[in-house]
Amino acid sequence: AQSVTQLDSQVPVFEEAPVELRCNYSSSVSVYLFWYVQYPNQGLQLLLKYLSGSTLVKGINGFEAEFNKSQTSFHLRKPSVHISDTAEYFCAVSSGGSNYKLTFGKGTLLTVNP
Amino acid sequence: EAGVTQFPSHSVIEKGQTVTLRCDPISGHDNLYWYRRVMGKEIKFLLHFVKESKQDESGMPNNRFLAERTGGTYSTLKVQPAELEDSGVYFCASSQEGYGRHEQFFGPGTRLTVL
């Protein structure tokens, strides 16, 4: 069975500050890793994904994440946030095979203050 | 290209009533998933269709939930009879076959409130 832990339920930051949203996973098999974002009153949008290859993955809106297999982590980072980054962020894993269903963490609400 | 659409956006019903949620995936996407987020909890997988066939329904809570995907196009999720604990946001997602399976495109969700 897989599980995902997002260590922070809420992260308040000031505009232009750097941010890191933490994600740890557990799985007995190889995984694919994802970060999704949900802006207010919208659906989930894929920010970035790790499938294989380089462990540093760049996504949309200036976000990046690093896959660390030894620490089973996939933390999301942005060097300078904007007010418009205020949203809920979800880390998710899938194991492929015949079903690419996603297992999600509980989400981290990022609030960017002026 | 239209994204994944869901109808209705909100539904408020009484305990014991029936509700049907609809999802229209992106055209040409064979894979269709249903997920649910109960307040304060994580988003959880309900089931997966490949075309019109149920590939995995291991996440369905109980037999009050019935999902269908007629002709491999849109899907419906019926809850009958609804209970208080069914309240939450129901998301639908779709993806292509092959390498595109890795990226699921989500709809805006249906917020279901059972009173």
Side-chain angles (χ1 to χ4, degrees), chain A residues 32 34 36 38 41-46 49 51-52 88 90 94 96-107, chain B residues 31 33 35 37 40-45 48 50 55-56 58 89 91 98-99 101-109:
Chain A
Y32 304 109
F34 307 83
Y36 281 85
Q38 185 179 24
N41 302 314
Q42 295 186 28
L44 295 160
Q45 181 182 0
L46 181 66
K49 60 183 182 282
L51 304 181
S52 64
E88 192 161 19
F90 297 92
S94 75
S98 61
N99 184 345
Y100 285 68
K101 65 184 178 184
L102 295 168
T103 300
F104 285 90
K106 288 189 176 183
Chain B
N31 293 289
Y33 300 81
Y35 295 87
R37 189 183 193 193
K41 301 285 185 70
E42 61 270 32
I43 300 168
K44 285 197 171 180
F45 167 81
H48 170 217
V50 178
Q55 181 77 18
D56 180 354
S58 62
V89 180
F91 293 102
Y99 191 74
R101 296 187 75 176
H102 290 293
E103 182 165 0
Q104 294 183 27
F105 293 84
F106 280 77

